Amino acid sequence: MKLTSKDRRIMKTIFDEAEEYMKEKGSAFTFDAYQAEAKETAIYPHNMKILYPALGLTGEAGEVANKVKKLVRDGMDKMPSDWREQIAGELGDVLWYCAAIATDLNMSLGQVAMSNKNKLSSRKQRGMIGGFGDKR
């Protein structure tokens, strides 16, 4: 997708506004605090632990992808004015299901995030970001 200078200005504005918002409000909410809050709304059968949120995660990730697909297909100019909020809402649903799976596995979402950050940092340092396999 070729971006026009107007699109680039809009995207820069979006990123700047998001960064400012996170500085003001978002940085005080940790993964573990979110996980604790999400646990209060995790209402599904006990015998469906892990399975229920894993299926929900795939569905919500598909909804994110579908909204991004429409952005690619139609361009920013034809998107509804709240398209960013729509995608953010779907990302929030993805995060909720990640928190639910971590809870069902008795894992801290913060630790999952830190472990992933460390893995990716190590791969970058070793020049292994690209490639195949989990153990690279």
Side-chain angles (χ1 to χ4, degrees), residues 32-113:
D32 291 338
Y34 178 81
Q35 184 177 8
E37 294 286 331
K39 186 177 181 180
E40 297 300 316
T41 58
I43 302 168
Y44 47 89
H46 183 74
N47 66 336
M48 292 290 138
K49 281 187 166 193
I50 304 170
L51 178 61
Y52 178 86
L55 294 172
L57 176 61
T58 60
E60 294 300 337
E63 290 187 35
V64 171
N66 195 45
K67 291 187 182 308
V68 172
K69 173 203 69 176
K70 291 175 183 177
L71 175 63
V72 170
R73 181 191 66 202
D74 300 336
M76 273 197 237
D77 292 343
K78 294 182 181 168
M79 296 301 289
S81 61
D82 68 339
W83 69 269
R84 293 169 199 85
E85 291 83 7
Q86 289 182 27
I87 293 173
E90 300 303 339
L91 288 173
D93 292 340
V94 166
L95 183 59
W96 186 93
Y97 282 108
C98 289
I101 293 169
T103 298
D104 288 351
L105 293 171
N106 295 317
M107 300 173 80
S108 155
L109 189 58
Q111 287 298 318
V112 170

